[in-house]
Amino acid sequence: MAQADGATAAPRQDPDPDDVTWIEPPLCAECGALVRIYPTNYDRWVSLAMVELPAKDVPEAFRWRLTMLPGRSLIPTDIVAVRVRGIDPLPSEPVVPAHRMMCIPEWGEP
């Protein structure tokens, strides 16, 4: 299931609590673009694009949503990526595309 969904990213490392440097989003090893890495609802990690797009512009296989885990606190504790399945979103509804949809590998010099 994870292979089919493209949820094959490595988990982000926990930052050192004593490190005060700015945490930048990771870069894609293939194209060098910034990516967002989130855990999925089935204990895998997925690389997502940095932008949301209307569902009509994203093929069904690449549609994700970010959702907060339910908790007792009003402060969100964690966010997980959930594949959009079952009921199709409205064409104008925003979804987060998987990065692999937008990834264009850099070509080496000849």
Side-chain angles (χ1 to χ4, degrees):
M1 183 169 153
Q3 283 286 34
D5 287 346
T8 57
R12 288 194 72 170
Q13 295 184 5
D14 291 330
D16 181 10
D18 295 330
D19 188 6
V20 293
T21 59
W22 185 258
I23 299 174
E24 294 289 332
L27 298 175
C28 173
E30 298 289 322
C31 68
L34 296 174
V35 294
R36 296 188 286 180
I37 298 177
Y38 283 100
T40 65
N41 56 334
Y42 49 89
D43 296 329
R44 297 285 189 241
W45 293 75
V46 64
S47 296
L48 300 177
M50 296 295 287
V51 297
E52 289 186 344
L53 297 173
K56 66 180 179 177
D57 296 337
V58 180
E60 187 177 330
F62 300 104
R63 295 178 185 162
W64 290 82
R65 283 201 179 102
L66 297 177
T67 186
M68 289 180 255
L69 290 175
R72 297 180 183 182
S73 172
L74 296 176
I75 300 170
T77 56
D78 207 0
I79 297 175
V80 295
V82 178
R83 276 267 289 122
V84 178
R85 292 196 175 136
I87 300 173
D88 287 334
L90 296 173
S92 62
E93 191 173 345
V95 295
V96 181
H99 174 70
R100 66 187 176 125
M101 179 192 106
M102 303 176 84
C103 188
I104 301 172
E106 293 179 347
W107 294 98
E109 293 185 30

